[in-house]
Amino acid sequence: MKAKRLTELALLSTIALTIFMIEQKTPNPFPIPGVKLGLANIVTVYALYRYRAKEVFLLVITRVILGAVFGGNLMALLYSAAGSLLCLGGMIPLHRLIPERILWASSVLGAVLHNIGQITVAVLVMRNAGMLMYFPFLLVSGCCAGAFTGLCAQLLLHRNPYMAGKACSQSDT
């Protein structure tokens, strides 16, 4: 990987981590605990349409690990990693099928997969299948948040003159 590309990914990781930390410190505007917009995912969706899968994977892993460390909640690492990896696992193949002009749809699916990963970990950790009652609320909020973050990433892709139309090429490795 070239130094320029590595620097771009490091900056995107920093932006995502900063957004994550600000959102974590902001009071939750939603009446359901744990529901949040997931604004750092704007960076993930943006990167998914501009970088290779392995590069986006590294960006996400970096954000998840550092977010848990800087946030002081290592238990959140388990929930965040499960959700993020399942989300990314679904969005990577999907982004090849969904064009940039409707990438928000990919983000909605990613948010649903993220919620499935998190609720699965919650059920396993707490050994309480009653946690599944919480899933419909997570699903609805995840679809709304995914659509919002996807639209933001879509706008960012088209507003950034440096990145507009830039596709991954083999020469960028």
Side-chain angles (χ1 to χ4, degrees):
M1 184 181 318
K2 289 186 177 182
K4 180 181 177 186
R5 196 152 181 96
L6 184 61
T7 303
E8 289 172 1
L9 289 167
L11 288 171
L12 287 174
S13 295
T14 303
I15 293 166
L17 182 60
T18 302
I19 293 169
F20 172 81
M21 294 303 296
I22 290 169
E23 188 174 17
Q24 186 181 26
K25 300 299 180 193
T26 305
N28 190 355
F30 304 104
I32 303 169
V35 171
K36 63 180 191 167
L37 283 174
L39 297 175
N41 292 322
I42 295 169
V43 176
T44 303
V45 177
Y46 171 84
L48 190 62
Y49 280 81
R50 287 294 175 248
Y51 294 92
R52 290 185 177 83
K54 70 178 183 175
E55 295 167 335
V56 179
F57 173 79
L58 291 173
L59 183 145
V60 168
I61 290 299
T62 301
R63 181 188 48 124
V64 166
I65 292 171
L66 292 178
V69 170
F70 292 153
N73 187 357
L74 292 181
M75 188 60 186
L77 178 63
L78 192 58
Y79 292 96
S80 188
S84 295
L85 293 177
L86 190 59
C87 169
L88 199 56
M91 286 180 65
I92 286 173
L94 192 63
H95 96 277
R96 292 184 182 111
L97 301 172
I98 295 179
E100 283 183 22
R101 70 185 192 303
I102 56 167
L103 73 81
W104 59 269
S106 175
S107 182
V108 169
L109 176 70
V112 169
L113 290 171
H114 192 276
N115 288 335
I116 290 171
Q118 285 190 321
I119 201 76
T120 301
V121 168
V123 168
L124 294 173
V125 167
M126 296 182 185
R127 295 187 176 129
N128 181 358
M131 294 292 296
L132 291 174
M133 299 290 287
Y134 192 51
F135 185 64
F137 299 106
L138 286 177
L139 191 61
V140 170
S141 66
C143 286
C144 294
F148 178 75
T149 57
L151 286 170
C152 289
Q154 188 171 328
L155 287 172
L156 183 61
L157 280 170
H158 299 290
R159 296 270 179 175
N160 187 347
Y162 170 72
M163 297 301 278
K166 182 179 178 187
C168 290
S169 67
Q170 291 300 328
S171 64
D172 288 338
T173 55

